[in-house]
Amino acid sequence: MVSPTNFLLHAFLWLALAATAFSLSPNFYHNVCPQALPAIKRVVEAAVHKERRMGASLLRLHFHDCFVNGCDGSLLLDSTSSFETEKNARGNLNSVRGFEVVDQIKAEVDRVCGRPVVSCADILAVAARDSVVALGGPTWKVRLGRRDSTTASRTLADSVLPSASMDLPALINNFKNQGLSKRDLVALSGGHTIGLSQCVIFRNRIYNATNIDPAFAKERRATCPRTGGNTNLAPFDPTPARFDTAYFKNLVKERGLLTSDQALFSGGSTDKLVETYSKNPNVFWVDFGKSMIKMGNIKPLTGKQGQIRANCRKVN
């Protein structure tokens, strides 16, 4: 007969193994398909080389995926009779992009692996890291093993995605709801060191804000009129195709493009960290990597949950 101690020991070992099996790991595909990560990197590098802005777009896809019910690839699903796509949510509509590149990555990864073994959620996580690296930014070890959701929620996306008009308390609260700290908020906002924004998103700030450098406001108004030109683009900082600290240097000079950008340096509790990042690229780089890992860990589906989609746009 098994002694209680032995039984407990076995139970404990089994639980430990189960926990290990279902927690994300950088080595998840090492044995299943070692060619997977190099394949993702190749497609990302080619896409970013072709259009520098794509790096920011792919980074944003991962962020907007993770904030809505966890990092589960739900953002990639097109509408069906049972749910409306998250692509139609306020923070995504006519704004999130890069879905064709995700399709290319998926096709290439499935080709080298011989079958669908890499989830669309993991593709987003790796593509985000490879995009940052392709634009001269830091690298980090992406934890892998996420599985794909079988549904999406436009309603949830509408309520949880942070908005460009949020002030600091609202931003802190929004990130706190995702298990992310104030430091994560500032570090992840630094992702705006790459990419562009549309006039319709920053118009209110450049015409009405008081905490804005007048010369900067004037410069932005030149391509963003009071009416019309909604989709005209402007960079978040002077070097939109380079992952650097110019974004934070801009904030210190009151040259943040969005209300939510400048909110990070406006006499509040995050001012000091913005200053630190503006002067110490290494501190920002280390923190950005840590915060990306933390964000990538939001409510992943693992083990037998969800599925590995054959097509990122639809449920199997």
Side-chain angles (χ1 to χ4, degrees):
M1 195 173 130
V2 183
S3 76
T5 321
N6 253 349
F7 176 77
L8 281 172
L9 186 65
H10 277 113
F12 176 76
L13 279 171
W14 186 86
L15 279 169
L17 277 169
T20 316
F22 298 146
S23 62
L24 303 182
S25 151
N27 307 323
F28 190 82
Y29 296 108
H30 268 23
N31 298 327
V32 203
C33 181
Q35 312 92 313
L37 268 61
I40 298 174
K41 191 178 183 204
R42 276 196 307 278
V43 182
V44 169
E45 282 177 347
V48 173
H49 181 72
K50 188 175 160 191
E51 187 204 8
R52 307 292 280 173
R53 181 187 175 203
M54 190 51 73
S57 302
L58 292 171
L59 173 61
R60 190 158 176 256
L61 281 182
H62 179 45
F63 171 58
H64 281 221
D65 179 39
C66 290
F67 264 52
V68 185
N69 223 2
C71 313
D72 60 1
S74 58
L75 173 57
L76 303 173
L77 290 171
D78 289 334
S79 292
T80 69
S81 53
S82 51
F83 60 81
E84 187 185 354
T85 177
E86 290 169 19
K87 296 171 190 177
N88 290 345
R90 268 194 303 273
N92 291 333
L93 190 62
N94 299 323
S95 165
V96 282
R97 60 197 292 277
F99 299 107
E100 296 75 17
V101 176
V102 174
D103 292 339
Q104 286 168 20
I105 296 170
K106 179 68 175 155
E108 180 60 12
V109 169
D110 287 359
R111 187 187 69 78
V112 301
C113 296
R115 65 190 203 287
V117 287
V118 181
S119 67
C120 301
D122 274 350
I123 284 173
L124 288 182
V126 177
R129 188 267 316 271
D130 291 349
S131 293
V132 167
V133 172
L135 293 172
T139 188
W140 59 92
K141 279 199 160 94
V142 181
R143 311 304 199 246
L144 300 161
R146 297 168 194 80
R147 288 170 65 86
D148 297 322
S149 70
T150 52
T151 187
S153 173
R154 182 215 161 140
T155 322
L156 186 64
D158 273 335
S159 66
V160 298
L161 286 174
S163 114
S165 58
M166 281 182 172
D167 61 8
L168 187 60
L171 287 166
I172 290 170
N173 193 47
N174 181 278
F175 275 63
K176 189 182 171 188
N177 290 339
Q178 301 286 356
L180 298 169
S181 68
K182 213 185 290 188
R183 199 172 185 100
D184 296 319
L185 161 66
V186 181
L188 292 170
S189 296
H192 280 179
T193 177
I194 52 176
L196 312 163
S197 182
Q198 298 182 35
C199 163
V200 66
I201 310 289
F202 60 82
R203 178 183 283 123
N204 186 45
R205 171 159 163 77
I206 62 171
Y207 286 100
N208 301 314
T210 49
N211 61 342
I212 191 167
D213 170 47
F216 174 70
K218 190 182 172 191
E219 192 183 321
R220 285 290 151 260
R221 286 174 193 160
T223 56
C224 181
R226 276 186 191 275
T227 52
N230 279 355
T231 57
N232 292 358
L233 297 168
F236 285 104
D237 74 15
T239 53
R242 195 163 72 235
F243 198 97
D244 54 22
T245 55
Y247 168 79
F248 295 109
K249 291 191 171 95
N250 255 18
L251 297 187
V252 174
K253 298 179 198 153
E254 294 197 320
R255 294 170 79 93
L257 187 61
L258 310 182
T259 301
S260 56
D261 289 324
Q262 198 57 56
L264 303 175
F265 190 85
S266 214
S269 57
T270 52
D271 281 19
K272 215 175 192 62
L273 189 55
V274 168
E275 276 188 33
T276 301
Y277 288 162
S278 74
K279 294 174 187 153
N280 301 290
N282 287 348
V283 178
F284 167 49
W285 280 36
V286 169
D287 281 3
F288 186 78
K290 281 184 190 164
S291 294
M292 284 297 290
I293 290 170
K294 200 167 159 189
M295 182 183 79
N297 226 358
I298 299 173
K299 290 192 350 205
L301 299 171
T302 58
K304 297 258 190 289
Q305 300 170 309
Q307 59 180 214
I308 305 295
R309 281 184 221 140
N311 174 345
C312 291
R313 293 171 186 261
K314 54 185 191 205
V315 174
N316 294 346

